[in-house]
Amino acid sequence: MDNQIYIVIIEDELEVMEALLGDLEFIEPNFPLEAANNAEEAVSVMEQIEADGHKVGLLLCDHVLPGKNGIDLLIELQNHPTLKHSKKVLVTGQAGLEDTVQAINKAHLDYYIAKPWTKEELQEVVTEKLTDYVIENKLNLLQYMSALNATRLAEALRENGLTDT
Amino acid sequence: MKLTKNQWIGLVLGALGFILPFFWEINGLSAAGHMGLSIFFLAAVFWMLEPVPIYATSMLVILLQVLFLSSEGIYLNDVTEAYSPDGYTAFMGTLANPIIILFLGGFVLADAAVKYNLDLNITRILLKPFGNQPKYILLGLMSVTALLSAFMSNTATTAMMMTVIIPIIARMKPTDPLRIGLALSVPFAANIGGIATPIGTPPNAVVIGSLANQGISIPFGNWMALAVPLVLIALLILWLVLLFMYKPEAKTIEIDMTGKFNLSKKALFLYAVFAFTVILWVTESVHGVNSAIIAMIPVVFLTLTGVTSKEDIRKLPWEVLWLVAGGISLGISMKSTGLAEWIVTSIDWGSFGTITMILVFSAVAIAMSNFLSNTVTATLLAPLAISLAVSGVAGEGFNLVIISLVIGVSASFAMVLPISTPPNAIAISTGFIETKHMAKPGILIGIFGLLLVTIYALFYWPLLIGN
């Protein structure tokens, strides 16, 4: 299928990655998941997704990673022509105040999930942020109503001034 | 831009349709009639298969008419015995046709209402008296939806009502059939509610515009007197059908009615303009000021006061106005070239009675608009009906206004499939219902619609219109 919206997860610990993937299984039929172990791999995964004609809607990013850390990656992506529109969520237990301030001010961080997360919180955050993404990027809202927050999508449709044919 | 296979098929068929009449000599059809047929074929194919957006086809129709059928065009521009071409302004001027201006007024009002949450707040207030019993809530939702969609677009009304019903449905037991009933009640009531006023939905505009070209004007209030009784009965039937098919399990339903009216100066001014305009529209036949002129009140005063901003004006659905204008324009030359008359006289109508003709036009309109845009359906059928009535081949008792109403109203009774109307598409997208849930009640409503239209056309409308 063309024009899929991907969720990219950047996490170096195998167990944590599996837990994240497990909790996000519910949304995979509509929003495919891609995993990366470090910042460099994440960039190449995301560029491949875009090269295939798809979009990256959401990044779930750990902070402490081998090589470049998560917040530096998110800040760097703000200069990327297309990836800067992706929603960015930090999933971490180890980011200090200084780092977190940086992430909010320079990387337009959309949400901070502290480890350990609850399944409900994670699922809600992912659903809401993807809803933001499809509304802000003026995608075909009807296509995503059953998978995301339908009330907010209907609200966006209303404000878009729909017409009869 | 890459075209899909279906788009190519549409484009090629449309072009072939345009060329065909140049090589196909039809007895009894003038050269202008052949030209009109070319444009009609092209438009019909493009509107049905949609290789390009339907409003783009409407724009093309106007250009083709100006080029090939107007007195300033490059072809058939001289007055002959068979054809006296209209000036190009006749075609281009459809964009400022009174019905277009009336719609513009409706758009500006609706846009401002959404901006200040008037639609949502009216909904909350009007739903209160319906209590918390499921069947009355269903009735309440349908009534409010229909009322709003009579003045706003059916689609925008549906989107707004979805924000009200999605939280309700989400709280209900997943097995409760009422979930399906609720999810269907909104789009269906919106489709039906659009019939109630001239600005309710574009097919009404096409019909009113076509009649205006015949010198027949239908005042706002008169249209409502003709249409509202039918809408009320149709809603009642819809209510019973939904209750019967999807019996509620829950004993009570809670709706969140909180919400505050915006009481800023601009918002209060909007409420006043909204009420004033609607009152003037409904009483058009009392004071005699044309509803298109009244439509300038919201356009002018909401803009003067900054309630409607430059950005709001840019955001108006201009493509709908082009769509309707193209439809009215096509009707002009179908008549003036003798094309419409040729089409209707090629069928032996004498063998049909009036009832049969009403049934046929209504059934064809309902069937077509289930697959095509409602506006396109009205556009393609209205010139035929008008020619049928004007040419006299249909015999006595075949009233021009009534058959036009039959077409305009029937076009709104299509709600079998998700593609039938944009409100249906929204409802399906929520994931609460599937196509099969929509198809069964949709077919029933279509059949009831056909019967209702026929009964009204035979017994009620003649009382108001006379013969």
Side-chain angles (χ1 to χ4, degrees):
Chain A
M1 210 167 78
D2 259 3
N3 292 318
Q4 297 256 66
I5 298 178
Y6 276 73
I7 301 173
V8 174
I9 304 173
I10 307 152
E11 171 63 66
D12 58 329
E13 287 170 65
L14 193 62
E15 281 170 34
V16 180
M17 175 66 92
E18 275 177 2
L20 283 169
L21 289 171
D23 285 353
L24 293 179
E25 232 175 0
F26 77 104
I27 210 161
E28 192 166 14
N30 296 297
F31 298 90
L33 305 172
E34 278 288 347
N37 295 318
N38 58 54
E40 288 72 26
E41 189 188 345
V43 171
S44 71
V45 163
M46 290 189 285
E47 284 179 342
Q48 187 57 47
I49 289 171
E50 294 203 322
D52 292 340
H54 306 300
K55 292 187 168 78
V56 178
L58 178 70
L59 274 91
L60 291 174
C61 190
D62 187 15
H63 176 49
V64 180
L65 295 166
K68 190 185 297 166
N69 70 40
I71 289 173
D72 285 344
L73 169 67
L74 295 185
I75 293 173
E76 188 185 294
L77 290 178
Q78 282 311 108
N79 296 321
H80 193 285
T82 48
L83 292 174
K84 71 176 173 198
H85 300 298
S86 309
K87 294 284 145 191
K88 297 171 184 75
V89 174
L90 204 56
V91 187
T92 182
Q94 295 132 305
L97 180 65
E98 189 76 7
D99 292 331
T100 313
V101 169
Q102 286 272 320
I104 290 169
N105 290 345
K106 292 193 179 162
H108 279 271
L109 188 68
D110 293 285
Y111 208 91
Y112 183 108
I113 296 180
K115 288 179 184 170
W117 67 88
T118 65
K119 187 175 176 178
E120 291 70 33
E121 181 195 12
L122 180 72
Q123 294 188 342
E124 192 194 321
V125 170
V126 166
T127 306
E128 295 304 322
K129 292 306 147 194
L130 284 172
T131 304
D132 290 339
Y133 180 80
V134 297
I135 292 175
E136 284 168 21
N137 290 280
K138 298 191 181 357
L139 304 177
N140 178 5
L141 302 183
L142 289 184
Q143 193 185 331
Y144 301 105
M145 263 183 130
S146 59
L148 298 176
N149 185 330
T151 310
R152 286 184 52 214
L153 290 175
E155 176 63 33
L157 282 171
R158 165 179 172 259
E159 283 167 4
N160 287 352
L162 287 173
T163 58
D164 301 345
T165 53
Chain B
M1 194 178 70
K2 239 175 84 180
L3 296 174
T4 64
K5 195 175 143 205
N6 285 345
Q7 281 178 309
W8 276 113
I9 293 173
L11 287 174
V12 170
L13 284 180
L16 284 177
F18 186 77
I19 298 167
L20 183 68
F22 289 96
F23 298 96
W24 177 35
E25 186 68 40
I26 300 165
N27 280 333
L29 190 62
S30 66
H34 281 78
M35 192 63 234
L37 192 59
S38 285
I39 297 174
F40 179 77
F41 277 154
L42 178 97
V45 171
F46 277 13
W47 273 331
M48 290 182 195
L49 302 181
E50 287 187 50
V52 293
I54 51 177
Y55 51 84
T57 301
S58 296
M59 295 167 174
L60 177 63
V61 163
I62 294 178
L63 175 64
L64 291 175
Q65 289 179 302
V66 168
L67 285 180
F68 299 121
L69 286 169
S70 80
S71 52
E72 288 82 4
I74 53 173
Y75 181 65
L76 295 172
N77 48 7
D78 291 326
V79 177
T80 62
E81 205 177 312
Y83 180 62
S84 51
D86 289 302
Y88 73 102
T89 51
F91 303 111
M92 289 188 174
T94 53
L95 208 55
N97 187 294
I99 191 68
I100 298 280
I101 302 299
L102 180 61
F103 258 66
L104 186 62
F107 286 166
V108 169
L109 272 184
D111 177 73
V114 169
K115 193 166 150 186
Y116 288 91
N117 277 341
L118 181 59
D119 53 345
L120 211 47
N121 286 322
I122 288 180
T123 303
R124 291 198 177 104
I125 286 182
L126 294 183
L127 276 179
K128 265 182 198 159
F130 288 91
N132 60 5
Q133 280 190 48
K135 60 180 172 184
Y136 294 119
I137 294 233
L138 187 68
L139 182 65
L141 286 167
M142 286 172 42
S143 310
V144 177
T145 306
L147 176 71
L148 288 174
S149 74
F151 294 96
M152 295 169 48
S153 89
N154 301 348
T155 316
T157 306
T158 302
M160 188 276 295
M161 291 302 289
M162 282 296 162
T163 68
V164 175
I165 67 163
I166 288 169
I168 304 176
I169 295 178
R171 280 198 305 270
M172 288 168 66
K173 273 203 351 226
T175 50
D176 195 332
L178 180 65
R179 285 162 58 105
I180 298 171
L182 284 176
L184 286 174
S185 69
V186 167
F188 281 19
N191 292 334
I192 293 172
I195 299 169
T197 73
I199 58 164
T201 190
N204 304 356
V206 170
V207 167
I208 291 172
S210 313
L211 285 173
N213 285 340
Q214 301 295 321
I216 299 169
S217 77
I218 302 188
F220 203 97
N222 293 24
W223 174 281
M224 288 185 72
L226 294 162
V228 170
L230 188 145
V231 168
L232 293 178
I233 299 292
L235 285 174
L236 189 65
I237 291 171
L238 172 62
W239 183 49
L240 296 174
V241 165
L242 290 179
L243 277 182
F244 174 75
M245 292 188 76
Y246 304 105
K247 284 190 186 65
E249 267 176 24
K251 292 278 170 283
T252 60
I253 291 180
E254 295 307 321
I255 305 184
D256 179 18
M257 299 288 187
T258 53
K260 264 217 234 92
F261 271 93
N262 186 333
L263 294 178
S264 66
K265 271 188 195 149
K266 279 185 179 177
L268 290 174
F269 184 71
L270 161 69
Y271 305 155
V273 170
F274 201 113
F276 188 59
T277 307
V278 169
I279 289 169
L280 286 182
W281 271 339
V282 174
T283 55
E284 182 184 339
S285 43
V286 178
H287 53 69
V289 181
N290 188 292
S291 50
I293 299 173
I294 297 165
M296 290 301 285
I297 292 174
V299 172
V300 169
F301 289 96
L302 293 181
T303 313
L304 273 179
T305 50
V307 172
T308 297
S309 67
K310 186 167 75 183
E311 284 68 34
D312 294 330
I313 295 173
R314 286 185 182 155
K315 264 182 15 199
L316 293 178
W318 296 101
E319 80 281 7
V320 174
L321 300 184
W322 278 102
L323 178 63
V324 174
I328 297 172
S329 184
L330 185 68
I332 294 176
S333 58
M334 280 187 73
K335 177 170 168 281
S336 64
T337 60
L339 172 64
E341 196 177 334
W342 171 76
I343 296 176
V344 297
T345 49
S346 54
I347 302 170
D348 180 17
W349 297 94
S351 51
F352 296 120
T354 305
I355 301 179
T356 321
M357 278 191 262
I358 290 170
L359 276 172
V360 167
F361 268 107
S362 180
V364 169
I366 295 173
M368 275 174 73
S369 57
N370 264 303
F371 299 95
L372 306 181
S373 122
N374 295 355
T375 315
V376 164
T377 301
T379 301
L380 295 176
L381 292 179
L384 301 185
I386 286 176
S387 303
L388 195 54
V390 173
S391 65
V393 288
E396 299 257 330
F398 190 82
N399 184 288
L400 174 60
V401 178
I402 289 176
I403 198 66
S404 301
L405 277 168
V406 166
I407 289 166
V409 172
S410 300
S412 289
F413 269 104
M415 45 196 107
V416 175
L417 301 168
I419 56 153
S420 298
T421 69
N424 282 22
I426 293 178
I428 282 281
S429 301
T430 58
F432 295 128
I433 45 173
E434 294 167 30
T435 302
K436 64 176 181 194
H437 297 133
M438 182 170 273
K440 271 192 245 164
I443 291 169
L444 272 178
I445 295 300
I447 292 169
F448 278 119
L450 175 65
L451 295 176
L452 272 180
V453 168
T454 309
I455 291 168
Y456 276 72
L458 288 174
F459 302 109
Y460 176 63
W461 293 338
L463 299 179
L464 300 191
I465 293 166
N467 268 309

